[in-house]
Amino acid sequence: MTKHAERLELDKILSSAAEYAALEESREAILSLSPASDLTEANRRLNMTEEATLLLYELGAGRLPDFSPVGDSLERAEKGATLSNAELLNAARLLSSARLCYSSVHALSDPRIEGMKTLTDRLIFDQNLEEDITKKILNENEIADTASEKLYSIRREIKNLGERIRARLGAYLVGDERKYLQEGLVTVRGERYVIPVKAEYKRSIRGFVHDRSQSGATVFIEPEEVLEMNNELTDLYLDEKEEMERILRELSREIGSMRARLEADIEVLCEVDLCYALAEYGYKNGCVRPKLNGKGVIAIDRGRHPLLDRKMAVPVSVDLGEEYDFLLISGANTGGKTVTLKMCGLFCLMAACGLFVPAGGGTKLAVFSGVYCDLGDSQSIEENLSTFSSHIVNLCEILREAGENSLVLIDEPGGGTDPEEGQALARAVLSALVKRGCRGIVTTHYSALKEFAYEQPRMQNGCMEFDAEDYRPLYRLKIGAPGSSNALAICTKLGLPEETIEEARGYLSEGARSFEKTLRAAEESGIRAEEARREAEKLKTEWNERLSSLGREEEKFRKERERFLYASKAEARRIVAERTARAEELLGEIEEIFKKETLTESDMIRARTLKNKMGEETPEEEETVRLLPVRAETLKAGETVFVGTMSAEGVVLSLKRDKDTAEVRVGSLRVSCKLGDLFYPSVSAPPKEKKVQVVKNLISRDGATRECDLIGMTAAEAEIELENFLDTALVNGVSEVRIVHGMGTGKVRAAVHGVLRKHPHVESFRLGKYGEGESGVTIAKLK
């Protein structure tokens, strides 16, 4: 990384991004990233970061599984060395990471991740070998009994022989020799079973002494009678060790044969992890992908320096490279000039490394062949350089190396020396850079440079806005006009005595006072104009939203009206068709009567009755119905309205004008409706006098039975009886009925509830309460 990138603090950004890496190798790769100077390469890096973002935060692919560094174990395995348990387990985790990484990417069919698919296509893994290692090696110190049949057999023999030895030695723990023992237990010394004997009795037990306690009070003796058994056990331990070494040797040989492929896997996995880390950094810091170009165009939309607190940083927008090549930023100290300058250079370097930037959508950045900067106080005691000298050294390097496709960032050129000479030097440096076709941003307080920027066609003045009334910077960049330094105003805020400040103003030249006063007035006017513009934009947005809302409401009302009209016409057609069909049916019955050769008095009475029915059911002249929308401000409770969504009339019970709703009773229902769904019904056309009057002899509603007794019936009989009863009750206008079914086994009650549940005219039903018959009775409400 160049010193210019370090001055722009790219190393800090890369260090933050490296914290999201899962692998040590990818962390190191991120820290050593160098910005690409080629547009194609920079776009490739951003493409990979974008695909990693999609995989992590949209497609749910998951992060890269971690694995431990394998070090030189692959090389040693290839040369024939036997790897340890831990090294083989690390190799298995590497195989697992490669397999899972490949699967997580290739399981998705999204065409937007072709780059990651191409990258992970290079992964090679062997799931059988991976599982073989993990099944045979339990941990860093243990191999599974089932690693091989021979190992299983040896360990079983060791277990059985050990049990026999312990059983033989157990006789010492309970026999006469027990008094010689220090403790009543069997222990192991040097993989041989022994018993702990008190030192003074060591000659009382025949055998071999293998060890002695630190105090010397206990000796560990192997009795003669278990000597051969212990020898056999030692042989088995040697066989076990040889078999384990053979297993490790075979697994190591297989890993060694894959050395080249596994090392290639490590490279791919590190690159995938790097992309995931850059993606996570961008996502966690609210970054977006910038649009790159090779034309030197920078257009940052609401960018903020990534090292500043997201909640505190004020977004800044910067344009460069289209209408002008150099931007000269002036304004008050602590106003954000240097931060803005550094942000522009840092954004270009971040994008060239494949990092997204914290800015608004549509941000454009250029890929430069070199980014050069001279920032801050570069005084160097070690190199015996003053502040001015160190700046000159940096400017020499910039003038020597910067070319047409370079970005140059200079903070306060010509500082640290006589102001008049410093202004002249800064002007000459800028003139040389402009002639070379560089792009750049320069901060200054020099009035001569501000005037110089006005004279140059490819330079533009800009200023960080300052509120002169509150003596505070606004951290907003305004392009097109220079800014005042406001040094004396800031001194006032910081507490410098007023008489000192006034004396300082007296020392200013007339030209300087006039120039600063003009700039300050222009700044204040610009701030007020910008505030007025923002307020006007806000009002415009609000009115546009209101107009859009009204348009949507109008369109909604139009569609509702069309729907109501269509429904009304359809209902009218249905009624006419229904009544016409009924009239034709009655006419057919009359014709059938008159086809008889001899008509009886009964036939004549029936024909007359049918004629009367036909006259009764013939559709009269259709009423003209006109639906008028209700007026919310005049609508009152108790008024009759037509509910459009239910195609029925109802009575308004209450109004909630704040929620634009009303509660309406439609028949026996209480519904909440929007006011837009309510209309005033207006009916015209007087009814015609009927030619035929029919007298119907119906049972009086007052005398209609309201109870159905099903006691003693089967479930099937009860269903038939109940349906007939409900039909009769509906004809007579009964609204609530009582059905007596008794308790019994509950089958009749279940049949009754089944009929009520399916019946289209039953609104609700319940079991009887105390005094009504309780669970032996069901009360039903009819619609």
Side-chain angles (χ1 to χ4, degrees):
M1 185 182 299
T2 66
K3 61 182 179 181
H4 297 282
E6 289 182 359
R7 289 172 185 163
L8 291 172
E9 299 177 294
L10 177 63
D11 55 330
K12 294 181 180 179
I13 302 300
L14 294 178
S15 180
S16 296
E19 293 178 2
Y20 296 103
L23 306 177
E24 186 61 36
E25 292 90 339
S26 50
R27 289 191 194 98
E28 294 175 0
I30 293 173
L31 292 174
S32 60
L33 269 177
S34 294
S37 57
D38 176 70
L39 178 61
T40 302
E41 172 60 18
N43 270 320
R44 185 197 70 80
R45 296 182 181 184
L46 287 178
N47 288 340
M48 296 302 289
T49 304
E50 183 173 25
E51 291 186 19
T53 304
L54 285 171
L55 285 166
L56 288 178
Y57 300 106
E58 183 176 330
L59 304 177
R63 283 303 304 265
L64 179 73
D66 190 13
F67 62 89
S68 301
V70 294
D72 63 346
S73 58
L74 298 180
E75 181 181 359
R76 290 191 294 106
E78 185 184 37
K79 293 179 179 179
T82 301
L83 302 182
S84 66
N85 290 17
E87 290 173 323
L88 286 170
L89 288 174
N90 287 343
R93 280 193 284 270
L94 170 57
L95 288 168
S96 174
S97 293
R99 175 176 57 82
L100 294 174
C101 179
Y102 179 90
S103 301
S104 67
V105 174
H106 286 264
L108 303 168
S109 59
D110 198 305
R112 296 174 294 173
I113 56 171
E114 290 303 319
M116 290 296 283
K117 284 189 175 181
T118 301
L119 175 61
T120 54
D121 268 337
R122 293 157 45 194
L123 290 171
I124 299 173
F125 48 88
D126 186 337
Q127 188 171 0
N128 292 330
L129 177 57
E130 172 197 336
E131 293 177 353
D132 200 24
I133 294 174
T134 54
K135 286 180 180 178
K136 291 180 178 179
I137 302 177
L138 300 180
N139 51 53
E140 295 182 1
N141 301 308
E142 189 176 1
I143 294 178
D145 294 347
T146 55
S148 72
E149 292 184 6
K150 184 176 181 181
L151 182 62
Y152 180 80
S153 176
I154 292 171
R155 287 184 173 174
R156 186 174 57 185
E157 289 183 32
I158 290 173
K159 180 181 178 182
N160 293 337
L161 182 57
E163 289 176 354
R164 295 207 313 271
I165 296 173
R166 285 194 297 272
R168 184 74 60 85
L169 294 177
Y172 286 87
L173 305 181
V174 296
D176 295 338
E177 294 88 352
R178 182 177 182 182
K179 59 186 177 183
Y180 304 134
L181 302 183
Q182 189 72 262
E183 295 178 86
L185 54 83
V186 176
T187 185
V188 177
R189 286 294 185 274
E191 296 184 347
R192 301 181 76 87
Y193 284 95
V194 296
I195 54 177
V197 179
K198 296 176 181 178
E200 60 267 27
Y201 297 119
K202 66 180 179 180
R203 301 189 184 278
S204 300
I205 294 180
R206 295 176 61 83
F208 301 91
V209 177
H210 283 277
D211 199 0
R212 179 182 297 173
S213 65
Q214 290 184 354
S215 64
T218 305
V219 292
F220 297 92
I221 297 177
E222 177 186 9
E224 286 183 348
E225 58 182 309
V226 297
L227 176 63
E228 288 302 323
M229 297 174 70
N230 269 332
N231 289 341
E232 185 181 351
L233 185 63
T234 300
D235 289 339
L236 287 174
Y237 281 135
L238 292 174
D239 292 342
E240 178 191 33
K241 184 177 180 181
E242 288 178 2
E243 180 60 15
M244 289 192 298
E245 289 178 351
R246 185 192 66 78
I247 293 170
L248 296 178
R249 190 163 53 250
E250 286 185 359
L251 294 175
S252 299
R253 184 169 61 251
E254 291 189 59
I255 290 295
S257 66
M258 295 183 65
R259 175 196 173 184
R261 289 177 290 175
L262 291 176
E263 287 180 344
D265 279 356
I266 293 173
E267 292 181 7
V268 174
L269 292 173
C270 285
E271 188 170 351
V272 171
D273 187 40
L274 181 147
C275 294
Y276 281 156
L278 299 189
E280 190 168 357
Y281 171 84
Y283 182 82
K284 295 288 179 63
N285 289 277
C287 300
V288 299
R289 175 178 179 166
K291 298 178 181 177
L292 297 186
N293 66 85
K295 301 177 181 179
V297 176
I298 296 175
I300 298 174
D301 175 32
R302 292 168 290 132
R304 57 176 178 78
H305 197 288
L307 295 179
L308 295 179
D309 186 347
R310 291 176 61 182
K311 297 179 181 178
M312 302 297 294
V314 178
V316 177
S317 297
V318 182
D319 290 316
L320 180 71
E322 287 188 320
E323 298 180 1
Y324 49 89
D325 296 333
F326 261 82
L327 176 63
L328 190 75
I329 303 177
S330 52
N333 290 312
T334 71
K337 299 189 300 298
T338 304
V339 171
T340 301
L341 175 143
K342 293 173 71 174
M343 178 190 73
C344 293
L346 183 57
F347 275 17
C348 292
L349 295 176
M350 288 174 64
C353 288
L355 282 159
F356 289 2
V357 297
T363 292
K364 299 178 184 177
L365 297 172
V367 177
F368 294 100
S369 59
V371 176
Y372 304 93
C373 61
D374 177 42
L375 306 171
D377 186 356
S378 302
Q379 185 176 21
S380 173
I381 298 175
E382 292 84 355
E383 298 179 14
N384 195 25
L385 294 175
S386 65
T387 298
F388 177 74
S389 300
S390 62
H391 282 304
I392 295 303
V393 170
N394 290 335
L395 291 176
C396 288
E397 180 185 358
I398 292 172
L399 290 172
R400 184 171 59 252
E401 298 181 5
E404 184 176 355
N405 190 33
S406 298
L407 177 66
V408 178
L409 308 168
I410 305 177
D411 187 26
E412 303 287 351
T417 188
D418 177 72
E420 188 172 350
E421 292 183 343
Q423 292 186 57
L425 178 61
R427 182 168 176 169
V429 170
L430 290 183
S431 179
L433 293 173
V434 170
K435 291 177 182 178
R436 294 188 183 188
C438 299
R439 306 293 193 277
I441 300 176
V442 178
T443 65
T444 189
H445 290 286
Y446 289 152
S447 300
L449 285 186
K450 301 173 188 177
E451 296 172 1
F452 176 66
Y454 276 125
E455 299 170 1
Q456 297 295 319
R458 298 300 297 172
M459 289 187 71
Q460 180 65 277
N461 270 303
C463 68
M464 303 305 296
E465 293 184 344
F466 184 84
D467 191 335
E469 292 183 1
D470 296 334
Y471 300 115
R472 63 182 180 88
L474 300 176
Y475 305 107
R476 294 199 300 258
L477 176 62
K478 179 181 179 182
I479 296 176
S484 170
S485 296
N486 290 292
L488 298 180
I490 293 174
C491 290
T492 301
K493 183 180 180 181
L494 294 176
L496 200 66
E498 185 63 31
E499 58 271 16
T500 304
I501 294 173
E502 286 300 321
E503 184 176 351
R505 284 197 179 96
Y507 293 142
L508 291 173
S509 65
E510 185 63 31
R513 284 200 299 269
S514 176
F515 186 75
E516 286 295 316
K517 184 178 180 180
T518 302
L519 284 182
R520 195 156 45 248
E523 254 186 275
E524 292 174 5
S525 297
I527 291 172
R528 303 295 174 260
E530 181 63 21
E531 289 176 352
R533 185 191 67 78
R534 282 198 294 270
E535 185 64 27
E537 286 291 332
K538 182 180 178 181
L539 290 173
K540 180 180 177 182
T541 302
E542 288 178 359
W543 278 107
N544 286 338
E545 289 178 356
R546 290 186 182 182
L547 289 174
S548 298
S549 178
L550 288 173
R552 289 192 297 269
E553 288 295 325
E554 184 180 2
E555 179 64 17
K556 179 181 176 183
F557 176 75
R558 185 186 65 77
K559 290 182 178 179
E560 286 293 323
R561 184 183 63 182
E562 290 178 355
R563 186 170 66 82
F564 292 148
L565 290 176
Y566 177 79
S568 299
K569 291 178 181 179
E571 180 65 12
R573 286 195 296 269
R574 185 191 66 77
I575 293 172
V576 169
E578 188 178 90
R579 292 184 178 179
T580 301
R582 178 59 177 159
E584 290 176 353
E585 181 183 344
L586 295 173
L587 184 60
E589 291 185 25
I590 294 173
E591 289 177 353
E592 287 294 327
I593 292 173
F594 283 100
K595 284 181 181 179
K596 295 181 179 181
E597 294 181 0
T598 304
L599 296 176
T600 65
E601 185 178 351
S602 174
D603 291 334
M604 295 300 294
I605 292 172
R606 176 166 172 71
R608 192 177 298 110
T609 302
L610 292 172
K611 179 184 177 184
N612 290 341
K613 280 188 177 181
M614 188 170 69
E616 181 188 50
E617 297 189 10
T618 300
E620 301 174 6
E621 182 179 342
E622 292 294 327
E623 293 180 334
T624 303
V625 180
R626 184 162 51 91
L627 300 177
L628 301 175
V630 299
R631 297 181 63 184
E633 61 272 13
T634 60
L635 185 64
K636 299 177 181 177
E639 291 191 53
T640 299
V641 294
F642 181 80
V643 183
T645 54
M646 300 180 67
S647 299
E649 289 189 1
V651 178
V652 178
L653 299 178
S654 62
L655 291 166
K656 295 181 180 179
R657 288 190 172 86
D658 57 334
K659 296 184 178 180
D660 200 28
T661 60
E663 188 176 15
V664 182
R665 185 179 69 243
V666 180
S668 60
L669 299 177
R670 297 167 68 98
V671 293
S672 179
C673 307
K674 292 185 177 179
L675 294 182
D677 294 335
L678 303 181
F679 301 85
Y680 292 122
S682 176
V683 181
S684 62
K688 288 188 176 181
E689 184 178 346
K690 295 182 180 179
K691 295 180 179 179
V692 181
Q693 293 184 352
V694 178
V695 177
K696 297 183 179 180
N697 295 319
L698 298 176
I699 301 174
S700 171
R701 293 191 176 187
D702 294 335
T705 178
R706 300 174 182 271
E707 182 174 296
C708 178
D709 188 354
L710 305 177
I711 299 295
M713 297 185 185
T714 65
E717 292 171 343
E719 288 179 355
I720 296 172
E721 180 67 21
L722 178 59
E723 287 179 353
N724 292 334
F725 169 75
L726 291 175
D727 292 341
T728 304
L730 287 167
V731 169
N732 288 289
V734 177
S735 60
E736 184 175 280
V737 295
R738 182 171 182 265
I739 305 162
V740 182
H741 45 67
M743 298 181 185
T745 62
K747 290 184 178 180
V748 175
R749 182 177 63 237
V752 167
H753 289 182
V755 171
L756 295 177
R757 194 175 291 109
K758 297 177 182 177
H759 201 287
H761 294 290
V762 174
E763 180 179 335
S764 64
F765 62 90
R766 61 177 174 80
L767 289 173
K769 300 177 182 177
Y770 179 76
E772 293 179 330
E774 301 182 17
S775 60
V777 170
T778 295
I779 308 298
K781 284 188 176 182
L782 305 182
K783 297 180 181 177

